[in-house]
Amino acid sequence: MKICADAGGTSIRIAYVDDDHKITMKKKYLIDSFPGNDVGFYSAINKYLSDTKGVVPLNSIETIVVSAAGHIKNERVQFTNADWLLSTTELSEYFRSTMSPSLRALLLNDFEALSYGLSTLENEDVETIFRRKGHGDTKMVCGPGTGLGLAALKQTDDRLIVIPSEGGHQSFPPETATEREFIKDSQQAWASYEHILSGQGLQRLFSFFSRKTDGPYSYEHSPEEILRLYEAGNLAAIKALEAFSYALGTFCGNMALALGATNGVYLWGGILTSFPNHLLRNQMMYRFHQRGRAASYVANIPVYKICCEELPLRGCSIYESIKKNYR
């Protein structure tokens, strides 16, 4: 038995997972409800153990697997959009007295975990945005939440090869006068994809279009509020979500070319949970296919939106199995 945890910039999901990747007692907590630095993650795990007391004998837990929203280096991670720091060595030492004395900790990027999870997807786990058959053996998963993540999976008959990345931090190439105006208005000498394709990015877009439409505006509107304003017909929110969709199409199209992801593009991220699918099918896919001489390369790549919250936890479990086999 193991504990798998998926920690992003806003929330953390934790569950017990068995050797068949079956997930039980999944809990979700807000990261802001815990302390910062290296104490935060320990507090979240302790909260989970308290909330699930007696469900699993703690001495049977031999591994903690953590997918973290940040760059992994030397088995450590400083979260990109949260005040958390984590080390596998310190994590295993901290919980050995509570769990198995041989407890080990594993750490991987959150989109790396999602990529492993792609190998488990069933039809009911996704919504189809653009239906095509696809070809080849490479898929990619990307999407906006607190930040913008990207990774790829190359799946052969007997092997899973995952390519993690920090692709969301690449410079954003504006393709229209409005996008160039937005970057200039943001007073950014350099803007990444994440500057637009994230929770804060959607807030920036809404503020920008509010000023352009002479409407009341505030950068303090949350992404959830902007989505509600869109449904209510607010002009600035409509323009913001449309611009967001076009930019997402640019990102997905460029990254599909870079990674050779001809077997599918999979969208993930908190913002997309309630994001209008028709904008993805129209604005996003229009820009996705506008790849100049390479348009034919992306023309038959299927695109899906993942609607399975357990996917990163499954990916953590698969990663642990692979590491165990290579020990």
Side-chain angles (χ1 to χ4, degrees):
M1 182 66 72
K2 53 186 168 278
I3 287 178
C4 292
D6 172 44
T10 303
S11 61
I12 177 171
R13 296 179 180 88
I14 309 173
Y16 297 115
V17 187
D18 65 19
D19 290 340
D20 294 321
H21 314 307
K22 182 180 178 181
I23 294 168
T24 57
M25 296 302 296
K26 182 180 67 177
K27 300 286 185 181
K28 180 179 179 180
Y29 307 104
L30 292 176
I31 283 179
D32 284 348
S33 63
F34 300 104
N37 212 342
D38 58 349
V39 179
F41 186 82
Y42 302 153
S43 300
I45 294 294
N46 280 322
K47 169 66 173 169
Y48 177 76
L49 295 178
S50 174
D51 289 347
T52 60
K53 187 175 181 179
V55 173
V56 170
L58 295 187
N59 60 6
S60 70
I61 299 172
E62 300 179 341
T63 314
I64 299 178
V65 192
V66 185
S67 76
H71 176 58
I72 313 297
K73 185 177 181 180
N74 298 326
E75 298 301 315
R76 296 174 64 87
V77 61
Q78 173 68 63
F79 284 64
T80 303
N81 293 298
D83 182 26
W84 276 14
L85 175 70
L86 190 60
S87 157
T88 56
T89 301
E90 294 169 7
L91 176 62
S92 57
E93 290 177 352
Y94 184 91
F95 282 106
R96 273 181 186 145
S97 61
T98 307
M99 303 178 192
S100 168
S102 59
L103 180 75
R104 66 172 183 154
L106 298 173
L107 185 61
L108 69 165
N109 176 264
D110 56 341
F111 273 77
E112 187 178 2
L114 281 164
S115 290
Y116 282 111
L118 290 181
S119 64
T120 72
L121 281 176
E122 303 288 346
N123 289 337
E124 62 269 21
D125 295 330
V126 299
E127 296 177 40
T128 301
I129 301 301
F130 185 71
R131 189 181 300 279
R132 287 294 186 275
K133 189 173 182 180
H135 67 277
D137 53 16
T138 301
K139 304 173 181 178
M140 76 178 213
V141 57
C142 64
T146 308
L148 175 64
L150 170 71
L153 170 69
K154 186 178 180 69
Q155 184 173 1
T156 62
D157 291 338
D158 59 351
R159 196 174 181 191
L160 301 177
I161 302 171
V162 166
I163 306 170
S165 85
E166 291 296 325
H169 296 290
Q170 296 178 83
S171 59
F172 173 73
E175 297 188 8
T176 67
T178 299
E179 289 175 351
R180 288 189 287 272
E181 184 183 355
F182 169 74
I183 298 300
K184 183 178 180 180
D185 181 81
S186 302
Q187 298 182 337
Q188 295 285 324
W190 185 90
S192 70
Y193 280 108
E194 189 174 283
H195 182 79
I196 297 176
L197 297 172
S198 61
Q200 288 189 346
L202 185 57
Q203 290 173 299
R204 292 185 184 105
L205 285 167
F206 177 72
S207 177
F208 170 72
F209 284 110
S210 289
R211 294 195 298 276
K212 284 181 68 67
T213 56
D214 296 323
Y217 67 90
S218 170
Y219 181 73
E220 299 305 316
H221 280 295
S222 70
E224 293 77 15
E225 290 170 334
I226 296 169
L227 285 163
R228 286 194 290 270
L229 286 169
Y230 172 87
E231 295 295 337
N234 178 274
L235 181 57
I238 290 171
K239 288 184 174 294
L241 263 67
E242 288 178 344
F244 191 95
S245 300
Y246 281 126
L248 183 59
T250 297
F251 178 69
C252 291
N254 285 345
M255 296 307 103
L257 290 173
L259 295 167
T262 54
N263 201 25
V265 170
Y266 293 79
L267 303 174
W268 169 272
I271 290 176
L272 297 182
T273 302
S274 55
F275 200 90
N277 279 351
H278 70 89
L279 291 180
L280 301 177
R281 293 186 175 113
N282 294 308
Q283 279 81 356
M284 189 200 80
M285 290 309 306
Y286 171 80
R287 186 72 72 81
F288 179 86
H289 288 132
Q290 299 304 302
R291 298 301 96 201
R293 293 175 62 185
S296 61
Y297 185 91
V298 300
N300 291 306
I301 297 177
V303 179
Y304 307 95
K305 184 166 80 171
I306 300 167
C307 52
C308 172
E309 282 197 357
E310 293 185 350
L311 193 67
L313 298 174
R314 291 185 202 165
C316 285
S317 182
I318 291 169
Y319 177 74
E320 187 269 343
S321 297
I322 291 172
K323 297 289 283 187
K324 185 187 295 184
N325 291 337
Y326 281 95
R327 288 177 71 180

